[in-house]
Amino acid sequence: LAKTTQPISMDSYEGQEVNITCSHNNIATNDYITWYQQFPSQGPRFIIQGYKTKVTNEVASLFIPADRKSSTLSLPRVSLSDTAVYYCLVGGQAAGNKLTFGGGTRVLVKP
Amino acid sequence: SAVISQKPSRDICQRGTSLTIQCQVDSQVTMMFWYRQQPGQSLTLIATANQGSEATYESGFVIDKFPISRPNLTFSTLTVSNMSPEDSSIYLCSVERPPNEQFFGPGTRLTVL
């Protein structure tokens, strides 16, 4: 399973855009990149998933360069409620694919 | 999506005792996963539970310590046996929804004294 590296923490302010970059240098050809969000005292929640280029949903955007050795999660106009830990994971899409969580990035949104 | 509930939500236990954690899903699922999250740490997969077969444990986790049951497609239990303070963690179950999304329960916060 590809290992991921993310910043330990990031601070931001309400209304700003937050970009979290994840490195996954040994990503395999069939691996997808998935981001989860975890609030205190809750289980992780799926945010977004992509394979290449750009993916956007109602919550975030995911940018993946051509070499796929890194990816960037972009959270537009964050609010205080976006304070959470964000995990980047890589893995295949076969049924029963085991998730390997890295250290995650603790994002603190300040007023 | 999937609605997952866990019981108990939290517990405080004495050293040497065992605790069984229940995980209930609102729909049938093939695979269920059990994770541990130690204080301030990331999640670590304990085992994968398929209905009708023995659970598959990850390195560092054994069946004698963490026996798992999977009696049907909507329910699973994880037992933490002969507990020590090092077992104090949040235990989470999750289920898989294709193509590659997992839904997590709210977790069970265990404190061992």
Side-chain angles (χ1 to χ4, degrees):
Chain A
L1 295 173
K3 180 178 177 176
T4 59
T5 302
Q6 309 173 229
I8 294 174
S9 63
M10 298 178 70
D11 288 357
S12 183
Y13 291 91
E14 282 190 293
Q16 289 188 336
E17 179 182 80
V18 172
N19 295 305
I20 309 171
T21 297
C22 177
S23 297
H24 28 80
N25 290 318
N26 58 340
I27 187 169
T29 303
N30 62 342
D31 282 344
Y32 280 70
I33 300 155
T34 310
W35 286 80
Y36 281 79
Q37 174 192 54
Q38 186 178 27
F39 298 114
S41 301
Q42 294 186 26
R45 182 176 74 104
F46 173 93
I47 300 177
I48 197 167
Q49 183 181 80
Y51 183 80
K52 61 181 179 181
T53 62
K54 177 183 175 182
V55 180
T56 297
N57 61 23
E58 64 278 5
V59 177
S61 294
L62 178 59
F63 299 92
I64 305 168
D67 66 5
R68 303 199 330 120
K69 294 184 181 299
S70 67
S71 58
T72 298
L73 175 73
S74 179
L75 305 173
R77 298 179 298 281
V78 294
S79 63
L80 296 177
S81 62
D82 292 315
T83 293
V85 178
Y86 293 83
Y87 294 98
C88 163
L89 295 85
V90 293
Q93 284 201 329
N97 179 57
K98 294 182 280 190
L99 298 183
T100 300
F101 284 80
T105 298
R106 190 173 300 273
V107 173
L108 174 62
V109 180
K110 303 175 183 178
Chain B
S1 64
V3 177
I4 305 170
S5 61
Q6 288 186 230
K7 291 182 180 179
S9 59
R10 60 178 60 223
D11 207 342
I12 300 174
C13 301
Q14 295 297 321
R15 181 196 301 260
T17 62
S18 297
L19 176 72
T20 295
I21 302 168
Q22 300 178 5
C23 179
Q24 179 76 51
V25 189
D26 66 339
S27 58
Q28 294 184 343
V29 294
T30 303
M31 308 192 76
M32 296 180 74
F33 305 86
W34 286 97
Y35 291 83
R36 179 175 74 181
Q37 186 171 28
Q38 296 179 303
Q41 303 297 313
S42 184
L43 286 78
T44 301
L45 181 64
I46 297 172
T48 303
N50 283 343
Q51 193 270 335
S53 63
E54 292 287 330
T56 303
Y57 289 82
E58 298 301 303
S59 175
F61 299 96
V62 295
I63 186 171
D64 290 345
K65 176 67 176 177
F66 298 101
I68 289 172
S69 78
R70 184 78 204 274
N72 57 53
L73 291 173
T74 63
F75 187 79
S76 178
T77 67
L78 169 76
T79 298
V80 186
S81 305
N82 188 24
M83 289 183 286
S84 66
E86 292 70 35
D87 294 319
S88 296
S89 291
I90 298 173
Y91 293 85
L92 302 105
C93 67
S94 74
V95 301
E96 185 178 63
R97 281 280 187 267
N100 191 28
E101 184 176 340
Q102 285 196 19
F103 293 89
F104 287 80
T108 295
R109 183 179 296 272
L110 170 63
T111 301
V112 184
L113 303 177

